[in-house]
Amino acid sequence: MLKKMMLTGAATMLLASGAFAQDKTLTISVYSFSQDAFKELVYGPFEKICGCKIVVETGNSVERLAKIEANKANPVIDMAVLSTHDALGAARKGLLQPIDASALSNYDKLYDIAKDPLGDMLGVGYTFYATSIVYRTDKVTVDSWADLLSPELAGNVALPDVTTNQGPPSLYMIGKAMGDTSTDLTTPIDAVGEKADDIVTYYVRSSQLAQLMQQEEIWAAPVGRFAWGRFKDNGLPMAWATPKEGQTGGMNVMVMTANNGNEELAHQFMDFWLSTEIQTALAEALVDSPANSEVTVSDEVAANLTYGAETVGQLDLLSPDVILDKRDSWLEQWNTKVVK
């Protein structure tokens, strides 16, 4: 029934714009996770409606960006999904072109933070996630980001490495808890360095963190909401903290490669992906948190997502230009004061 609703609603949208594209191919570059779900819920239904072929290329961000850059003169990728800072990096190299918001019938349904997160309409947010602290409720109480460096958690806490997507935002929130909201992150990096002996590890993958929690080697750590399922069902008393300083997180955006010659079909596909029907299906499958504000899901589903206007409005996100411009400085400080 859901798939029928998706196809009916989205087909109406495309038919209204005369959007059939027989014998056309759209090449997209995406993250490798949940591709079976994306094929069932997004790619397959769109192909049936538009009469076109979607070619999907996956890989990590470095590989995918390198391919886009290597083919700048003759693009082989039409549309990609990236983190905001990776997308801004691509834009600075002249690899992207603006998205035409007027070609997206679902644009006005997006939360404001997703409408133009890069500026100049170089990207449109399609999903985001909160980052907070998961912790053992039988061992400790977490009310603040400063609690990560408290005596109660000494020897039982993990932090994300500064090179990860979770690292700088978590450090920023630790700094905020200490009364310093500077994005140079000197105050929180200094504080972590001083407590280095109390930190079990600086993790690079959420799967690594989940294993440490399962083995009861740690009691608390910052983590992205997309990984919450690994912790809430691990058989231990776990909670997702709501620190008084708020939550941070990240956003992924859709981008259009410059001069790809397939802009019309790419806009149609973006619009389809941003529709209420498709964003609902992805949310209910626990694949992505919806950027479309009209999506409604059950409380059970919402508990696994970054969902709802109140939650989205409280996210304290580092801007992509800050991440790009300061990450070398952050790494230098980290290596000097934390890794030593």
CSV table of all heavy atoms in Angstrom, one decimal, residues 3 26-45 47 54-60 64 79-82 126-127 252 269 273 282 285-288:
chain,number,residue,atom,x,y,z
A,3,LYS,N,4.0,1.5,-1.1
A,3,LYS,CA,4.6,1.7,-2.4
A,3,LYS,C,3.6,2.2,-3.5
A,3,LYS,O,4.0,3.0,-4.3
A,3,LYS,CB,5.2,0.4,-2.9
A,3,LYS,CG,6.0,0.5,-4.1
A,3,LYS,CD,6.7,-0.8,-4.5
A,3,LYS,CE,7.9,-1.0,-3.6
A,3,LYS,NZ,8.7,-2.2,-4.0
A,26,LEU,N,20.4,8.6,-15.9
A,26,LEU,CA,20.8,9.5,-14.9
A,26,LEU,C,21.9,8.8,-14.1
A,26,LEU,O,21.6,7.7,-13.5
A,26,LEU,CB,19.7,10.0,-14.0
A,26,LEU,CG,20.1,10.9,-12.9
A,26,LEU,CD1,20.3,12.3,-13.5
A,26,LEU,CD2,18.9,11.1,-11.9
A,27,THR,N,23.1,9.3,-14.0
A,27,THR,CA,24.2,8.7,-13.2
A,27,THR,C,24.3,9.5,-11.9
A,27,THR,O,24.6,10.7,-11.9
A,27,THR,CB,25.5,8.7,-14.0
A,27,THR,OG1,25.3,8.0,-15.2
A,27,THR,CG2,26.6,8.0,-13.2
A,28,ILE,N,24.2,8.7,-10.8
A,28,ILE,CA,24.3,9.4,-9.5
A,28,ILE,C,25.4,8.8,-8.7
A,28,ILE,O,25.7,7.6,-8.8
A,28,ILE,CB,22.9,9.2,-8.7
A,28,ILE,CG1,22.6,7.8,-8.4
A,28,ILE,CG2,21.8,9.8,-9.5
A,28,ILE,CD1,21.4,7.6,-7.5
A,29,SER,N,26.0,9.6,-7.8
A,29,SER,CA,27.0,9.2,-6.9
A,29,SER,C,26.6,9.3,-5.5
A,29,SER,O,26.2,10.4,-5.0
A,29,SER,CB,28.3,10.1,-7.1
A,29,SER,OG,29.3,9.7,-6.2
A,30,VAL,N,26.5,8.2,-4.7
A,30,VAL,CA,25.9,8.1,-3.4
A,30,VAL,C,26.8,7.3,-2.4
A,30,VAL,O,27.7,6.6,-2.8
A,30,VAL,CB,24.5,7.5,-3.5
A,30,VAL,CG1,23.6,8.3,-4.4
A,30,VAL,CG2,24.6,6.1,-4.0
A,31,TYR,N,26.4,7.4,-1.2
A,31,TYR,CA,27.0,6.6,-0.1
A,31,TYR,C,26.6,5.2,-0.4
A,31,TYR,O,25.6,4.9,-0.9
A,31,TYR,CB,26.6,7.1,1.2
A,31,TYR,CG,27.0,8.5,1.6
A,31,TYR,CD1,26.1,9.5,1.6
A,31,TYR,CD2,28.3,8.8,1.9
A,31,TYR,CE1,26.5,10.8,1.9
A,31,TYR,CE2,28.7,10.1,2.3
A,31,TYR,CZ,27.8,11.1,2.2
A,31,TYR,OH,28.2,12.4,2.5
A,32,SER,N,27.5,4.2,0.1
A,32,SER,CA,27.2,2.8,-0.1
A,32,SER,C,26.2,2.2,0.8
A,32,SER,O,25.7,1.1,0.5
A,32,SER,CB,28.5,2.1,-0.1
A,32,SER,OG,29.1,2.2,1.2
A,33,PHE,N,25.9,2.8,1.9
A,33,PHE,CA,25.0,2.2,2.9
A,33,PHE,C,23.5,2.1,2.4
A,33,PHE,O,23.1,3.0,1.6
A,33,PHE,CB,25.0,2.9,4.2
A,33,PHE,CG,24.4,4.3,4.2
A,33,PHE,CD1,23.1,4.5,4.5
A,33,PHE,CD2,25.2,5.4,4.0
A,33,PHE,CE1,22.5,5.7,4.5
A,33,PHE,CE2,24.7,6.7,4.1
A,33,PHE,CZ,23.4,6.8,4.3
A,34,SER,N,22.8,1.1,2.8
A,34,SER,CA,21.4,1.0,2.6
A,34,SER,C,21.0,1.0,1.1
A,34,SER,O,19.8,1.4,0.8
A,34,SER,CB,20.6,2.1,3.4
A,34,SER,OG,20.8,2.0,4.7
A,35,GLN,N,21.8,0.5,0.3
A,35,GLN,CA,21.5,0.6,-1.2
A,35,GLN,C,20.4,-0.3,-1.6
A,35,GLN,O,19.6,0.0,-2.5
A,35,GLN,CB,22.8,0.3,-2.0
A,35,GLN,CG,23.7,1.5,-2.1
A,35,GLN,CD,23.0,2.8,-2.6
A,35,GLN,OE1,22.6,2.8,-3.7
A,35,GLN,NE2,22.9,3.8,-1.7
A,36,ASP,N,20.2,-1.4,-0.9
A,36,ASP,CA,19.0,-2.3,-1.2
A,36,ASP,C,17.7,-1.5,-1.0
A,36,ASP,O,16.8,-1.6,-1.8
A,36,ASP,CB,19.1,-3.6,-0.4
A,36,ASP,CG,20.1,-4.5,-0.9
A,36,ASP,OD1,20.7,-4.3,-2.0
A,36,ASP,OD2,20.5,-5.4,-0.1
A,37,ALA,N,17.7,-0.8,0.2
A,37,ALA,CA,16.5,0.0,0.5
A,37,ALA,C,16.3,1.1,-0.5
A,37,ALA,O,15.2,1.4,-0.9
A,37,ALA,CB,16.6,0.5,1.9
A,38,PHE,N,17.4,1.8,-0.9
A,38,PHE,CA,17.2,2.9,-1.8
A,38,PHE,C,16.8,2.4,-3.2
A,38,PHE,O,16.0,3.0,-3.8
A,38,PHE,CB,18.6,3.6,-2.0
A,38,PHE,CG,18.8,4.7,-0.9
A,38,PHE,CD1,19.8,4.5,0.0
A,38,PHE,CD2,18.1,5.8,-0.9
A,38,PHE,CE1,20.0,5.5,1.0
A,38,PHE,CE2,18.3,6.8,0.0
A,38,PHE,CZ,19.3,6.6,1.0
A,39,LYS,N,17.2,1.2,-3.6
A,39,LYS,CA,16.8,0.6,-4.9
A,39,LYS,C,15.3,0.4,-4.8
A,39,LYS,O,14.6,0.6,-5.8
A,39,LYS,CB,17.6,-0.6,-5.2
A,39,LYS,CG,17.2,-1.3,-6.5
A,39,LYS,CD,18.1,-2.5,-6.8
A,39,LYS,CE,17.8,-3.1,-8.2
A,39,LYS,NZ,18.6,-4.3,-8.5
A,40,GLU,N,14.9,-0.2,-3.7
A,40,GLU,CA,13.4,-0.5,-3.6
A,40,GLU,C,12.5,0.7,-3.5
A,40,GLU,O,11.5,0.8,-4.1
A,40,GLU,CB,13.2,-1.4,-2.4
A,40,GLU,CG,11.7,-1.8,-2.2
A,40,GLU,CD,11.5,-2.6,-0.9
A,40,GLU,OE1,12.5,-2.9,-0.2
A,40,GLU,OE2,10.4,-2.9,-0.6
A,41,LEU,N,13.0,1.7,-2.7
A,41,LEU,CA,12.1,2.8,-2.3
A,41,LEU,C,12.3,4.0,-3.2
A,41,LEU,O,11.4,4.8,-3.3
A,41,LEU,CB,12.3,3.2,-0.9
A,41,LEU,CG,12.1,2.1,0.2
A,41,LEU,CD1,12.5,2.5,1.6
A,41,LEU,CD2,10.6,1.6,0.2
A,42,VAL,N,13.5,4.2,-3.8
A,42,VAL,CA,13.7,5.4,-4.6
A,42,VAL,C,14.0,5.1,-6.0
A,42,VAL,O,13.3,5.6,-6.9
A,42,VAL,CB,14.9,6.2,-3.9
A,42,VAL,CG1,15.0,7.6,-4.6
A,42,VAL,CG2,14.6,6.4,-2.4
A,43,TYR,N,15.1,4.4,-6.3
A,43,TYR,CA,15.6,4.3,-7.7
A,43,TYR,C,14.5,3.5,-8.5
A,43,TYR,O,14.2,4.0,-9.6
A,43,TYR,CB,16.9,3.5,-7.7
A,43,TYR,CG,18.0,4.0,-6.8
A,43,TYR,CD1,19.0,3.1,-6.3
A,43,TYR,CD2,18.0,5.3,-6.4
A,43,TYR,CE1,19.9,3.6,-5.4
A,43,TYR,CE2,19.0,5.8,-5.5
A,43,TYR,CZ,20.0,4.9,-5.0
A,43,TYR,OH,20.9,5.3,-4.2
A,44,GLY,N,14.1,2.4,-8.0
A,44,GLY,CA,13.2,1.6,-8.8
A,44,GLY,C,11.9,2.3,-9.1
A,44,GLY,O,11.5,2.3,-10.3
A,45,PRO,N,11.2,2.9,-8.1
A,45,PRO,CA,10.0,3.6,-8.4
A,45,PRO,C,10.2,4.8,-9.4
A,45,PRO,O,9.3,5.0,-10.2
A,45,PRO,CB,9.6,4.1,-7.0
A,45,PRO,CG,10.1,3.0,-6.1
A,45,PRO,CD,11.4,2.7,-6.7
A,47,GLU,N,12.5,5.0,-11.8
A,47,GLU,CA,12.7,4.5,-13.1
A,47,GLU,C,11.4,4.1,-13.8
A,47,GLU,O,11.1,4.3,-15.0
A,47,GLU,CB,13.6,3.3,-13.0
A,47,GLU,CG,15.1,3.6,-12.8
A,47,GLU,CD,15.9,2.4,-12.6
A,47,GLU,OE1,15.4,1.4,-12.1
A,47,GLU,OE2,17.1,2.4,-13.0
A,54,ILE,N,18.6,4.6,-14.0
A,54,ILE,CA,19.5,5.2,-13.0
A,54,ILE,C,20.7,4.3,-12.9
A,54,ILE,O,20.6,3.1,-12.6
A,54,ILE,CB,18.8,5.4,-11.7
A,54,ILE,CG1,17.7,6.4,-11.8
A,54,ILE,CG2,19.8,5.8,-10.6
A,54,ILE,CD1,16.9,6.7,-10.5
A,55,VAL,N,21.9,4.9,-13.1
A,55,VAL,CA,23.1,4.2,-12.9
A,55,VAL,C,23.7,4.7,-11.5
A,55,VAL,O,23.9,5.9,-11.4
A,55,VAL,CB,24.1,4.5,-14.0
A,55,VAL,CG1,25.5,3.9,-13.7
A,55,VAL,CG2,23.6,4.0,-15.3
A,56,VAL,N,23.9,3.8,-10.6
A,56,VAL,CA,24.3,4.2,-9.3
A,56,VAL,C,25.8,3.8,-9.0
A,56,VAL,O,26.2,2.7,-9.2
A,56,VAL,CB,23.5,3.4,-8.2
A,56,VAL,CG1,23.9,3.8,-6.8
A,56,VAL,CG2,22.0,3.6,-8.5
A,57,GLU,N,26.5,4.8,-8.6
A,57,GLU,CA,28.0,4.7,-8.3
A,57,GLU,C,28.1,5.0,-6.8
A,57,GLU,O,27.7,6.0,-6.3
A,57,GLU,CB,28.8,5.6,-9.1
A,57,GLU,CG,28.8,5.3,-10.6
A,57,GLU,CD,29.9,5.8,-11.4
A,57,GLU,OE1,30.8,6.5,-10.8
A,57,GLU,OE2,30.0,5.6,-12.6
A,58,THR,N,28.8,4.0,-6.1
A,58,THR,CA,29.0,4.2,-4.7
A,58,THR,C,30.5,4.3,-4.3
A,58,THR,O,31.3,3.9,-5.1
A,58,THR,CB,28.3,3.1,-3.9
A,58,THR,OG1,29.0,1.8,-4.3
A,58,THR,CG2,26.8,3.0,-4.2
A,59,GLY,N,30.7,4.6,-3.1
A,59,GLY,CA,32.1,4.7,-2.6
A,59,GLY,C,32.2,5.7,-1.5
A,59,GLY,O,31.2,6.3,-1.1
A,60,ASN,N,33.4,5.8,-0.9
A,60,ASN,CA,33.6,6.8,0.2
A,60,ASN,C,33.7,8.2,-0.5
A,60,ASN,O,33.8,8.3,-1.7
A,60,ASN,CB,34.8,6.5,1.1
A,60,ASN,CG,36.1,6.5,0.3
A,60,ASN,OD1,36.3,7.4,-0.5
A,60,ASN,ND2,37.0,5.6,0.6
A,64,ARG,N,34.7,9.3,-4.4
A,64,ARG,CA,33.6,9.9,-5.3
A,64,ARG,C,33.9,11.3,-5.7
A,64,ARG,O,33.7,11.7,-6.8
A,64,ARG,CB,32.3,9.8,-4.5
A,64,ARG,CG,31.9,8.4,-4.3
A,64,ARG,CD,30.4,8.2,-3.8
A,64,ARG,NE,30.2,8.9,-2.5
A,64,ARG,CZ,29.3,9.9,-2.3
A,64,ARG,NH1,28.7,10.4,-3.3
A,64,ARG,NH2,29.2,10.4,-1.1
A,79,MET,N,24.5,13.8,-10.7
A,79,MET,CA,24.0,14.3,-9.4
A,79,MET,C,24.7,13.5,-8.3
A,79,MET,O,25.0,12.3,-8.5
A,79,MET,CB,22.5,14.1,-9.4
A,79,MET,CG,21.8,14.4,-8.1
A,79,MET,SD,21.5,12.8,-7.2
A,79,MET,CE,20.5,13.4,-5.8
A,80,ALA,N,25.0,14.1,-7.2
A,80,ALA,CA,25.6,13.4,-6.1
A,80,ALA,C,25.0,13.8,-4.8
A,80,ALA,O,24.4,14.8,-4.6
A,80,ALA,CB,27.1,13.7,-6.1
A,81,VAL,N,25.3,13.0,-3.7
A,81,VAL,CA,24.9,13.3,-2.4
A,81,VAL,C,26.2,13.3,-1.5
A,81,VAL,O,27.0,12.4,-1.6
A,81,VAL,CB,23.8,12.4,-1.8
A,81,VAL,CG1,22.5,12.5,-2.6
A,81,VAL,CG2,24.3,10.9,-1.7
A,82,LEU,N,26.4,14.4,-0.8
A,82,LEU,CA,27.6,14.6,0.0
A,82,LEU,C,27.3,15.3,1.3
A,82,LEU,O,26.2,15.8,1.5
A,82,LEU,CB,28.6,15.5,-0.8
A,82,LEU,CG,29.0,15.0,-2.2
A,82,LEU,CD1,29.7,16.1,-2.9
A,82,LEU,CD2,30.1,13.9,-2.0
A,126,TYR,N,18.8,16.8,2.1
A,126,TYR,CA,17.7,15.8,2.0
A,126,TYR,C,17.6,15.0,3.3
A,126,TYR,O,16.7,14.2,3.5
A,126,TYR,CB,18.0,14.9,0.8
A,126,TYR,CG,19.2,14.0,1.0
A,126,TYR,CD1,19.1,12.7,1.5
A,126,TYR,CD2,20.5,14.4,0.6
A,126,TYR,CE1,20.2,11.9,1.6
A,126,TYR,CE2,21.6,13.6,0.8
A,126,TYR,CZ,21.5,12.4,1.2
A,126,TYR,OH,22.6,11.6,1.4
A,127,THR,N,18.7,15.0,4.2
A,127,THR,CA,18.6,14.4,5.4
A,127,THR,C,19.6,15.0,6.4
A,127,THR,O,20.6,15.6,5.9
A,127,THR,CB,18.9,12.8,5.3
A,127,THR,OG1,18.6,12.2,6.6
A,127,THR,CG2,20.3,12.6,4.9
A,252,ASN,N,23.4,16.0,5.1
A,252,ASN,CA,23.8,15.6,3.8
A,252,ASN,C,23.0,16.3,2.7
A,252,ASN,O,21.8,16.6,3.0
A,252,ASN,CB,23.7,14.1,3.6
A,252,ASN,CG,24.7,13.3,4.4
A,252,ASN,OD1,25.7,13.8,4.8
A,252,ASN,ND2,24.3,12.1,4.7
A,269,PHE,N,14.6,13.9,-10.5
A,269,PHE,CA,15.0,12.9,-9.5
A,269,PHE,C,15.1,13.5,-8.1
A,269,PHE,O,14.7,12.9,-7.1
A,269,PHE,CB,16.3,12.2,-9.9
A,269,PHE,CG,16.7,11.1,-9.0
A,269,PHE,CD1,15.9,10.0,-8.8
A,269,PHE,CD2,17.9,11.2,-8.3
A,269,PHE,CE1,16.3,9.0,-7.9
A,269,PHE,CE2,18.3,10.2,-7.4
A,269,PHE,CZ,17.5,9.1,-7.2
A,273,TRP,N,12.9,12.5,-4.8
A,273,TRP,CA,13.5,12.0,-3.5
A,273,TRP,C,13.1,12.9,-2.4
A,273,TRP,O,12.9,12.5,-1.2
A,273,TRP,CB,15.0,12.1,-3.7
A,273,TRP,CG,15.9,11.4,-2.7
A,273,TRP,CD1,15.5,11.2,-1.4
A,273,TRP,CD2,17.2,10.9,-2.9
A,273,TRP,NE1,16.6,10.5,-0.7
A,273,TRP,CE2,17.6,10.4,-1.6
A,273,TRP,CE3,18.1,10.9,-3.9
A,273,TRP,CZ2,18.9,9.8,-1.4
A,273,TRP,CZ3,19.3,10.4,-3.7
A,273,TRP,CH2,19.7,9.8,-2.5
A,282,LEU,N,11.5,6.4,3.4
A,282,LEU,CA,12.9,6.2,3.8
A,282,LEU,C,12.9,6.4,5.4
A,282,LEU,O,13.7,5.7,6.0
A,282,LEU,CB,13.8,7.3,3.2
A,282,LEU,CG,14.0,7.1,1.7
A,282,LEU,CD1,14.7,8.3,1.1
A,282,LEU,CD2,14.9,5.9,1.5
A,285,ALA,N,11.6,3.2,7.0
A,285,ALA,CA,12.6,2.1,6.8
A,285,ALA,C,13.8,2.4,7.7
A,285,ALA,O,14.8,1.6,7.6
A,285,ALA,CB,13.0,2.0,5.3
A,286,LEU,N,13.8,3.5,8.4
A,286,LEU,CA,15.0,3.9,9.2
A,286,LEU,C,16.2,4.1,8.4
A,286,LEU,O,17.3,3.8,8.9
A,286,LEU,CB,15.2,2.9,10.4
A,286,LEU,CG,14.0,2.6,11.3
A,286,LEU,CD1,14.4,1.6,12.4
A,286,LEU,CD2,13.4,3.9,11.9
A,287,VAL,N,16.1,4.5,7.2
A,287,VAL,CA,17.2,4.8,6.3
A,287,VAL,C,17.7,6.2,6.5
A,287,VAL,O,18.9,6.4,6.7
A,287,VAL,CB,16.9,4.6,4.9
A,287,VAL,CG1,18.0,5.0,4.0
A,287,VAL,CG2,16.5,3.1,4.6
A,288,ASP,N,16.8,7.2,6.5
A,288,ASP,CA,17.2,8.6,6.6
A,288,ASP,C,16.2,9.4,7.4
A,288,ASP,O,15.0,9.1,7.4
A,288,ASP,CB,17.2,9.3,5.2
A,288,ASP,CG,18.6,9.1,4.5
A,288,ASP,OD1,19.6,8.8,5.1
A,288,ASP,OD2,18.6,9.2,3.2
